[in-house]
Amino acid sequence: MEYFIVAAAAVVLAFIVHVNLDAGVARRVLPVLLAAFAVRLAVHVLVMRSGVLDYGGDNVGYEIRALGIVEYWKREGFQFVTAEDMSYLSSVAIPCQVFAIVVYLCGGPAPLACTAVVALLACALCVVVYKFARLVGADDRAAFLLLVVTAFMPAFLLHTSDTYKDGFNAFLVVTSIGLGAALARRFDMRRLLTLVLLLWVLWYVRPYMVFMCAVPLILALVGLKKTFSPRRLGALAVLLAFALLTFGGVYDGAPIEVIQEQLESGQSEIARRANGNGGSGVAFDDGGNPWNALGPKLLYTLLSPFPWTQGGPALQFGKIDALIWYFLLYNAVRGARRLWRRDRVTLLILLSFIIPGAIAYATTMANMGLIFRQRIPIIMVTSVLAAVAWTKETREGEQPAGDVVSRV
């Protein structure tokens, strides 16, 4: 049954590619994504589960939770299980539930089949990235190049070659931001309903990411596409601040309180000390205040591990990812300058996720190995701007005429 699920995941991938892309594009994309899918399974068997690389731990923890969910279903019946039913499911209910379904179908532990589901999500995200890049103005060649880079980006590949939740998180976040950018151009009720569903699922993967997605999505929904007005933007910022203070201080148990608790927990000195343990830990002279030494923390959040950093094999592997990221970041700056001239609203939507997200992660920065995976969604959204820079311009800076995707 485990091999059947792996084969079924490959078939679903082919279906996703052909349904979402034009025939000509699909013929080029499908071999790339099937190769990316196969590489993830190979890395799972030859690296992640062979002991060659001493890395991970929470992936195995999610599988144990999935086994617990299956036992719960046998006692209580099939149902959606949350942290209220099993306390150790906090923030991982959806991934563990998906793995539990696979385990139930296979009649026992099935790490390869579970990984195939994660690999499917990773490859589906590559399709989303392609369409997202086309939406913001990249041409087909640039969007396809970005798809290839995304499919084999080392950090993303490593963390979607086993039962981590990073693939779920990246798929939900990037797809949500892409849908928001599409809604800013043309409102569609189906997109809005899909967006609501994605955010609900994201709440059971990484709740604080819902908050990080909120500002760009609100900017997209209020109709800033019509005019770019600093006055309207300032009024919206005041309104958002008022809403956060109101809901956070008046309603007990409100979602904003859950997010505040997670942020305070991540910023606490105890949590940062715990995360800083190990060869890739980083200590900052901030006097215990997470907002002090913000400049160095941002540098480590965005650019580590640096080429000269010493560490174990996993950290050295991370340097490859970092070098690719430097190249993407340089081109993203170029792409942002182009988008500023053409479509400031879309640029604002992207930056309203990238900048606050980087700052939020910087206040919890304590380990290069951890930030190596946490910043994956930020890298992906930023890389969409790089595709804009790779697009060939025609006269007077206009992009070549092309078929721009209107939905993600």
Side-chain angles (χ1 to χ4, degrees):
M1 187 63 181
E2 190 168 9
Y3 293 111
F4 175 80
I5 291 177
V6 171
V11 172
V12 172
L13 173 59
F15 175 78
I16 290 172
V17 169
H18 284 289
V19 166
N20 286 278
L21 302 175
D22 294 336
V25 177
R27 282 194 295 270
R28 289 185 291 124
V29 166
L30 185 57
V32 173
L33 294 187
L34 286 176
F37 180 84
V39 167
R40 281 163 169 79
L41 297 182
V43 170
H44 171 78
V45 174
L46 301 176
V47 179
M48 303 303 293
R49 297 298 170 124
S50 67
V52 171
L53 189 66
D54 182 19
Y55 184 80
D58 49 350
N59 52 331
V60 178
Y62 298 152
E63 293 174 27
I64 294 173
R65 290 178 175 90
L67 291 170
I69 292 173
V70 172
E71 293 302 316
Y72 184 90
W73 286 343
K74 290 178 180 178
R75 295 193 311 267
E76 306 293 336
F78 186 80
Q79 58 186 286
F80 181 65
V81 185
T82 67
E84 295 180 1
D85 306 303
M86 302 172 70
S87 59
Y88 55 73
L89 287 181
S90 178
S91 302
V92 292
I94 289 292
C96 291
Q97 220 100 192
V98 172
F99 298 147
I101 293 173
V102 175
V103 168
Y104 182 82
L105 291 174
C106 292
L112 183 65
C114 290
T115 300
V117 174
V118 178
L120 171 63
L121 270 178
C123 294
L125 176 54
C126 294
V127 176
V128 172
V129 167
Y130 172 89
K131 298 184 73 173
F132 197 171
R134 294 288 284 141
L135 176 71
V136 301
D139 61 16
D140 174 70
R141 181 191 62 84
F144 178 75
L145 176 58
L146 179 61
L147 179 145
V148 174
V149 172
T150 302
F152 297 100
M153 192 81 173
F156 184 52
L157 192 155
L158 180 70
H159 293 103
T160 51
S161 296
D162 213 307
T163 50
Y164 297 102
K165 68 175 181 178
D166 300 271
F168 290 85
N169 179 61
F171 177 83
L172 293 167
V173 170
V174 177
T175 306
S176 296
I177 301 298
L179 277 172
L183 282 167
R185 295 175 178 238
R186 184 171 65 86
F187 181 82
D188 186 291
M189 183 57 68
R190 290 174 300 177
R191 290 176 184 160
L192 182 59
L193 293 176
T194 302
L195 180 57
V196 170
L197 177 61
L198 290 173
L199 293 177
W200 177 83
V201 175
L202 183 59
W203 181 259
Y204 291 101
V205 177
R206 278 200 177 129
Y208 65 85
M209 294 302 298
V210 176
F211 178 73
M212 288 174 63
C213 292
V215 174
L217 295 179
I218 291 173
L219 291 177
L221 292 172
V222 296
L224 287 178
K225 64 187 177 78
K226 296 178 181 179
T227 57
F228 181 83
S229 169
R231 186 176 299 175
R232 286 184 64 188
L233 182 59
L236 179 62
V238 172
L239 181 62
L240 286 173
F242 176 79
L244 291 178
L245 291 173
T246 300
F247 287 100
V250 175
Y251 298 103
D252 293 334
I256 188 63
E257 286 195 347
V258 176
I259 296 168
Q260 285 177 330
E261 290 175 2
Q262 284 201 330
L263 182 61
E264 290 172 1
S265 175
Q267 291 178 338
S268 69
E269 190 171 358
I270 294 175
R272 286 186 290 149
R273 279 181 183 174
N275 290 335
N277 291 334
S280 58
V282 183
F284 296 94
D285 185 14
D286 57 11
N289 186 338
W291 294 96
N292 288 342
L294 192 59
K297 289 178 181 178
L298 274 171
L299 286 176
Y300 272 87
T301 298
L302 294 174
L303 303 179
S304 66
F306 304 106
W308 55 84
T309 303
Q310 296 181 350
L315 188 66
Q316 302 307 316
F317 176 76
K319 293 180 181 180
I320 302 173
D321 188 85
L323 291 174
I324 298 172
W325 167 227
Y326 297 164
F327 173 74
L328 290 172
L329 187 59
Y330 166 74
N331 284 280
V333 173
R334 294 176 52 226
R337 292 176 60 185
R338 284 193 187 181
L339 208 56
W340 175 258
R341 296 195 300 267
R342 269 202 322 256
D343 189 352
R344 295 184 180 182
V345 171
T346 299
L347 178 61
L348 175 65
I349 292 171
L350 299 180
L351 293 181
S352 64
F353 171 78
I354 295 167
I355 295 175
I359 293 173
Y361 275 132
T363 62
T364 64
M365 173 65 203
N367 190 298
M368 287 182 284
L370 188 59
I371 204 65
F372 173 64
R373 56 193 292 192
Q374 287 181 328
R375 72 187 181 199
I376 288 174
I378 294 176
I379 288 176
M380 289 191 171
V381 175
T382 304
S383 66
V384 170
L385 292 171
V388 175
W390 298 335
T391 297
K392 293 181 179 179
E393 291 187 326
T394 57
R395 57 185 177 82
E396 297 182 358
E398 295 178 357
Q399 69 178 68
D403 185 24
V404 177
V405 180
S406 60
R407 58 187 175 88
V408 175

